[in-house]
Amino acid sequence: MIQDVLSLSDASGNHHEILMNSAIDLFCQNTSRRDEVAVNGELAAVEAYGMFVRRAMQTGNPEKEIVALLKDAGVQDSRAQAASSAFSKRLPELRKACILQSSQLSGKYLVDFDWRLNLSLESNCFSGLRIPHLQVILFLSDGAGQLEEVVMELDETEFELLLSSIGKLNQACNNMAI
């Protein structure tokens, strides 16, 4: 596949930008462009660019990674910059496609949340209670736009456990490149 990109090393920067946009369209599952590319006979080159897009999106800094990958494939600096510019302009779209693709694998994902702290002061059996309860409302999406509300009520011990788990999750995310 990389040979297909190398064979285009003499092509203009604009041509590399078009190939990058076509690869991004395929990555974002805009399949109407696949037929157009196949007709032009450049499907292999677009798929090579698609491989670069997938690799770059798996790193912590996709914009720098895409330039490095293109240069490693032998694409001249000015042409790599043109393709990288197209990539950078569509990075929000690529990130959204990654979220949608991962939600198809994992089911639902968190869109937003809300919380409220309740303090029980007394009940019909006990007076002088001071029991805090945290109510957390999670808004989950299934990737198709359907939102679901999940309400959780946590006592102090459950809240401490949740907070500890979130801290560990945050630490794990910081230790790996996304």
Side-chain angles (χ1 to χ4, degrees):
M1 265 192 216
I2 292 176
Q3 290 80 11
D4 295 307
V5 174
L6 286 174
S7 69
L8 295 169
S9 60
D10 293 336
S12 70
N14 186 44
H15 190 72
H16 285 275
E17 187 176 344
I18 290 168
L19 289 171
M20 178 61 74
N21 279 314
S22 296
I24 292 170
D25 285 340
L26 292 176
F27 183 84
C28 296
Q29 297 179 350
N30 180 357
T31 55
S32 62
R33 291 286 295 254
R34 184 177 187 90
D35 297 333
E36 178 183 322
V37 171
V39 169
N40 292 338
E42 296 182 331
L43 186 57
V46 170
E47 286 175 348
Y49 265 81
M51 179 184 67
F52 296 151
V53 168
R54 284 189 298 282
R55 282 189 186 167
M57 291 305 292
Q58 294 172 356
T59 67
N61 193 344
E63 293 173 277
K64 284 185 180 179
E65 183 67 19
I66 198 76
V67 172
L69 288 167
L70 290 170
K71 286 182 181 179
D72 288 348
V75 176
Q76 293 177 0
D77 192 41
S78 61
R79 293 172 175 119
Q81 290 299 330
S84 173
S85 174
F87 179 85
S88 296
K89 288 176 189 171
R90 296 189 62 189
L91 196 53
E93 182 182 351
L94 284 163
R95 286 189 171 126
K96 185 176 180 181
C98 285
I99 290 171
L100 288 174
Q101 289 173 13
S102 68
S103 71
Q104 291 171 353
L105 296 174
S106 64
K108 298 179 182 173
Y109 63 95
L110 182 66
V111 175
D112 198 5
F113 72 97
D114 196 9
W115 63 273
R116 178 182 9 204
L117 183 62
N118 298 321
L119 184 62
S120 300
L121 297 175
E122 62 182 63
S123 71
N124 62 352
C125 298
F126 297 101
S127 63
L129 291 175
R130 293 185 58 82
I131 301 174
H133 289 275
L134 178 68
Q135 184 180 48
V136 180
I137 304 168
L138 304 174
F139 300 95
L140 305 175
S141 176
D142 62 0
Q146 295 289 87
L147 283 179
E148 178 184 345
E149 259 184 48
V150 176
V151 179
M152 300 183 330
E153 192 162 311
L154 309 170
D155 63 23
E156 192 172 356
T157 334
E158 293 169 325
F159 173 68
E160 290 295 329
L161 180 63
L162 175 67
L163 200 56
S164 171
S165 298
I166 289 174
K168 289 176 186 174
L169 174 65
N170 187 32
Q171 187 178 19
C173 287
N174 288 334
N175 289 338
M176 64 182 232
I178 297 177

